Amino acid sequence: MIADVVIAGAGPNGLMLACELSLAGVRPLVLERLPERTEESRANGLAGQVVRMLDRRGLYERLTGNQDPPRPAPGFVFGALPIDLSALDDNPLYVLLAPQRRIEQMLEERAVELQVEIRRGHELTGFTHDADRVTLQVSGPAGPYTIETRYLVGADGGHSIVRKLAGIAFPGVTTDKTISRVAHAVVPAELVDPATGALDIPGYGPIPPFLHHRTERGLFVYAPLPDGPAPLISTMEWNAQDAEGPLTLEELRASARRVLGVDLAFGPPDGHGPHLLRKLNGGNTRLAGRFRDGRVLLVGDAAHVHSAIGGPGLNLGLQDAVNLGWKLAAEVRGTAPAGLLDTYESERRPVAERVVLSSRAQSALIAPGSEVTGLRALFTELLDDPHNVRHIADLMSGADIRYDVAVDHPLAGRWAPDLNLKNGTRLAELTRDGHPHLIDFTGGDWGYPATAGLPGHPAPCTALLLRPDGYVAWATDAPQPDTESRTSLRAAIQRWLGEPNEDISS
């Protein structure tokens, strides 16, 4: 047995899983068919709970260089409709602008620090598996070789070879109605409002930056990313004819003219790049028939693909990795309670289904036609109600996730609230070790050291048990430990962590 866990794919999801496993005491081996990190532009940022999740692993500061905690976004879009989030008391929607290649670089640096071995230029070509192990066939620079591992995880994207070789179905819908075009391009400086960053197009008017802008003919986006070589200009059209060959700026300009009804001047960026010129015909919405087949598991796009509108992809995939990491590590170490690894699929599949629902609803709202314009007018009225805004914000951020932890408390099964603790630390600093924590707000009466308290206002409960992935496994409002609360705490520890011990608060 060469490795306890082999991860196929060194994209963000595979690297995040590798870091989580290493924090939990298991050193995985990562195989990546590409000889080096791709310079191709893909995702351009993160949106949702994933931003706070990175903060709780100390990775937000690495990515941004900012020591302050992340702040929620004052606004966002749903189906190209602007959403004002500033009135929400506890706005759950966080946004972090960063190109995917920078996210991958940061995660690889962290994985190397954690002594993860990453083999680039090594491609998984086949495997067999039984009740005890998975035997992999790998093609490397020096030729083919074999690896035996206890578990194989496919983090190898929507065309996952792991999923295909495992015989896991990938049902869903493929559409060919849309053509998306995106490129780095430079617009004349006089068209950009220096105060708002909006693109003021002659004959059309201002278009805010970063937000999807829908007309009855298509979709237009202007995104002046801070770390990019030039702003991104993107269009989407329905039932349009596709020019043969790779995308050109001339083709993108013609597309923008059809969508907006006016000409927009833009040209190529300076320098050698890499500069993005990408065209995508149609799209896929698919969900794997199962996320696990014995000792083979799937994360991220290998398990689900959907529209990128609203930026849900990395929010979903990276949190798959964080959910799976501690559970798989416990299974490898032999400390996992019965059925723990099965909860990976039972918890994450419903979340993927919610993302598919959201992306389909948004795709319907951006479609062309006067009927959709009427629907958007009605939806705009609904978004004047703060309760509806909260519902959409929770859906898009993932804040509406509530796992079944069999504990009757409002916090149980939910993402733990961000807390400033009385010992001068934040909850996000406490959780950077990837361990479970019993947080006691009573001063130690729960039989463990008092980990923390809340200064100046009431705590959300008297004590809570935090899983390694940041979700609350147990909470109580009992002012002092009693037989019922102690029994429920012990049951929660046994269910998620194994037999209790005196070190759970560390």
Side-chain angles (χ1 to χ4, degrees):
M1 195 79 66
I2 293 180
D4 286 320
V5 178
V6 172
I7 301 169
N13 299 321
L15 292 170
M16 189 73 213
L17 177 60
C19 292
E20 290 295 297
L21 287 166
S22 192
L23 283 175
V26 173
R27 298 288 184 269
L29 169 63
V30 180
L31 303 177
E32 170 55 57
R33 65 179 182 83
L34 297 177
E36 55 188 28
R37 282 194 310 272
T38 180
E39 290 296 317
E40 180 184 353
S41 295
R42 294 177 180 172
N44 296 300
L46 302 169
Q49 294 289 89
V50 65
V51 178
R52 289 200 280 182
M53 183 271 289
L54 290 180
D55 182 41
R56 292 187 180 182
R57 289 295 188 262
L59 301 176
Y60 175 82
E61 182 178 338
R62 285 172 174 256
L63 199 54
T64 64
N66 188 351
Q67 296 183 355
D68 295 330
R71 303 296 181 196
F76 205 63
V77 288
F78 182 83
L81 292 169
I83 304 174
D84 182 6
L85 303 171
S86 60
L88 297 183
D89 292 336
D90 183 20
N91 178 1
L93 219 162
Y94 291 68
V95 175
L96 192 163
L97 295 178
Q100 182 168 324
R101 62 180 180 273
R102 172 64 188 124
I103 297 171
E104 289 186 11
Q105 178 188 7
M106 180 274 294
L107 289 172
E108 182 171 335
E109 290 169 355
R110 179 56 175 154
V112 171
E113 287 177 10
L114 293 169
Q115 301 180 346
V116 173
E117 181 183 358
I118 303 171
R119 295 184 186 176
R120 292 195 172 273
H122 293 249
E123 183 176 6
L124 176 68
T125 59
F127 67 81
T128 59
H129 60 115
D130 56 30
D132 299 318
R133 71 196 65 188
V134 186
T135 303
L136 314 181
Q137 290 80 50
V138 181
S139 176
Y145 63 97
T146 299
I147 300 176
E148 287 190 352
T149 182
R150 295 177 64 184
Y151 289 93
L152 169 64
V153 181
D156 49 347
H159 299 286
S160 171
I161 187 66
V162 173
R163 186 189 65 243
K164 293 174 181 178
L165 291 173
I168 297 175
F170 205 35
V173 176
T174 296
T175 62
D176 57 1
K177 297 180 180 179
T178 62
I179 302 176
S180 299
R181 300 174 175 93
V182 60
H184 285 118
V186 176
V187 299
E190 62 268 20
L191 299 186
V192 180
D193 186 324
T196 65
L199 186 62
D200 196 354
I201 301 174
Y204 189 88
I207 294 179
F210 303 110
L211 305 183
H212 293 90
H213 182 79
R214 183 254 183 197
T215 73
E216 290 196 4
R217 299 170 297 278
L219 202 67
F220 177 87
V221 179
Y222 168 69
L225 297 168
D227 295 329
L232 285 174
I233 291 179
S234 175
T235 65
M236 177 185 288
E237 296 181 82
W238 286 260
N239 302 314
Q241 287 191 337
D242 180 18
E244 294 185 2
L247 178 65
T248 64
L249 285 184
E250 290 78 8
E251 182 183 341
L252 180 60
R253 277 193 288 265
S255 176
R257 186 185 309 116
R258 289 190 295 270
V259 171
L260 299 174
V262 298
D263 287 316
L264 173 62
F266 53 82
D270 297 328
H272 297 292
H275 298 146
L276 179 63
L277 275 169
R278 186 173 66 207
K279 179 166 51 179
L280 179 64
N281 292 294
N284 286 285
T285 301
R286 296 186 176 276
L287 188 63
R290 55 191 184 280
F291 288 10
R292 179 187 178 192
D293 181 34
R295 294 182 174 270
V296 179
L297 300 107
L298 306 174
V299 298
D301 287 356
H304 37 68
V305 294
H306 42 76
S307 168
I309 189 167
L314 285 178
N315 185 28
L316 182 60
L318 290 174
Q319 292 199 80
D320 283 350
V322 174
N323 184 283
L324 176 59
W326 64 281
K327 297 174 181 178
L328 183 55
E331 193 74 24
V332 169
R333 297 195 315 266
T335 60
L340 178 66
L341 194 53
D342 291 331
T343 66
Y344 167 61
E345 177 163 359
S346 65
E347 290 186 342
R348 296 306 296 169
R349 172 177 282 277
V351 180
E353 291 171 345
R354 290 285 286 171
V355 170
V356 167
L357 178 150
S358 172
S359 63
R360 284 176 168 166
Q362 292 184 75
S363 295
L365 282 168
I366 64 174
S370 58
E371 297 89 348
V372 175
T373 300
L375 175 64
R376 291 171 61 82
L378 176 59
F379 210 93
T380 299
E381 293 180 10
L382 295 176
L383 289 176
D384 286 337
D385 186 332
H387 294 289
N388 294 333
V389 173
R390 160 64 67 180
H391 188 90
I392 294 296
D394 285 347
L395 170 66
M396 296 192 72
S397 67
D400 60 352
I401 297 170
R402 185 169 190 179
Y403 298 140
D404 180 10
V405 297
V407 175
D408 185 18
H409 189 278
L411 289 178
R414 297 191 180 277
W415 179 257
D418 289 331
L419 306 174
N420 293 315
L421 309 176
K422 72 178 181 182
N423 59 5
T425 63
R426 297 187 296 122
L427 179 68
E429 296 170 308
L430 191 70
T431 58
R432 290 178 180 178
D433 57 10
H435 294 171
H437 290 269
L438 179 67
I439 302 179
D440 181 355
F441 300 106
T442 67
D445 291 335
W446 288 91
Y448 300 97
T451 304
L454 282 173
H457 56 84
C461 55
T462 55
L464 62 82
L465 176 65
L466 199 62
R467 301 191 329 184
D469 59 359
Y471 284 81
V472 177
W474 170 89
T476 183
D477 294 324
Q480 297 291 333
D482 54 26
T483 300
E484 181 179 355
S485 58
R486 287 190 183 278
T487 299
S488 65
L489 173 59
R490 176 172 287 275
I493 294 172
Q494 289 173 330
R495 179 179 181 184
W496 298 108
L497 306 173
E499 286 302 312
N501 62 69
E502 297 301 318
D503 298 324
I504 191 171
S505 63
S506 63

